[in-house]
Amino acid sequence: MSTPITVQYTINAPSEKVWKALTDKNEMKSWYFDIQDFVLETGKEFNFYEPGGENKYHHHAQILEIIPNEKLKHTWSYPDSSALKTIVTWELLPEDGQTLVKLTHEDIENFKDLGEGFSRENFVKGWNTILGQSLKEYLEK
């Protein structure tokens, strides 16, 4: 059993605004990824590539759980590289008009054989950039 990656930041925005940024594909492309087939519905699958147009890493996900304004849980995988999946959970905790955004990425060891680009350190760095810079700056501007 490995330790999940946990990254959390307090964002100076109400949870409803954070939720919209997290679940509206038009907002997502401003700070996260351009996910054209994203539909906020349990069981729906979505696909995306890293920004920059290289389309090197095909990301595939399936929504597992939705609690509006509180929680979004989905799988995270790279079907071109491995059949194994991981789980990403976004939790929003309101705090005096601000929102603590907590991201947990479980089963990351499933990607350990895929090469350096899939290392735990890379995911920690990536999630810190996505939450601590991209999402925070997008919502606090």
Side-chain angles (χ1 to χ4, degrees):
M1 193 73 198
S2 77
T3 307
I5 293 170
T6 303
V7 174
Q8 55 185 33
Y9 285 90
T10 298
I11 295 180
N12 190 19
S15 57
E16 295 79 14
K17 188 175 176 185
V18 178
W19 180 256
K20 189 169 188 313
L22 204 62
T23 59
D24 180 317
K25 64 183 173 187
N26 294 317
E27 287 204 30
M28 276 190 245
K29 66 183 169 192
S30 298
W31 67 272
Y32 190 43
F33 295 100
D34 185 4
I35 308 176
Q36 303 202 351
D37 60 349
F38 183 86
V39 177
L40 185 62
E41 195 176 301
T42 305
K44 290 289 185 187
E45 298 182 22
F46 57 96
N47 299 274
F48 58 98
Y49 292 88
E50 72 286 358
E54 287 183 43
N55 291 354
K56 191 173 169 186
Y57 299 111
H58 172 201
H59 300 69
H60 177 80
Q62 182 175 19
I63 298 176
L64 302 174
E65 184 181 1
I66 300 166
I67 302 173
N69 300 316
E70 289 179 30
K71 185 180 193 180
L72 176 64
K73 184 175 188 175
H74 58 79
T75 62
W76 180 283
S77 63
Y78 300 95
D80 299 343
S81 307
S82 171
L84 297 175
K85 295 178 179 175
T86 61
I87 305 287
V88 172
T89 305
W90 300 81
E91 294 175 277
L92 309 183
L93 305 153
E95 294 181 335
D96 301 324
Q98 298 181 317
T99 305
L100 176 67
V101 179
K102 180 180 173 188
L103 179 133
T104 307
H105 196 161
E106 301 171 75
D107 304 322
I108 201 72
E109 73 280 359
N110 286 349
F111 296 154
K112 71 181 182 323
D113 298 329
L114 300 185
E116 198 177 306
F118 299 91
S119 70
R120 180 182 182 87
E121 294 72 29
N122 269 12
F123 277 101
V124 169
K125 185 178 172 201
W127 287 125
N128 273 291
T129 300
I130 287 168
L131 264 73
Q133 290 176 14
S134 301
L135 179 62
K136 192 170 175 62
E137 289 171 10
Y138 174 73
L139 287 168
E140 292 182 354
K141 68 178 182 222

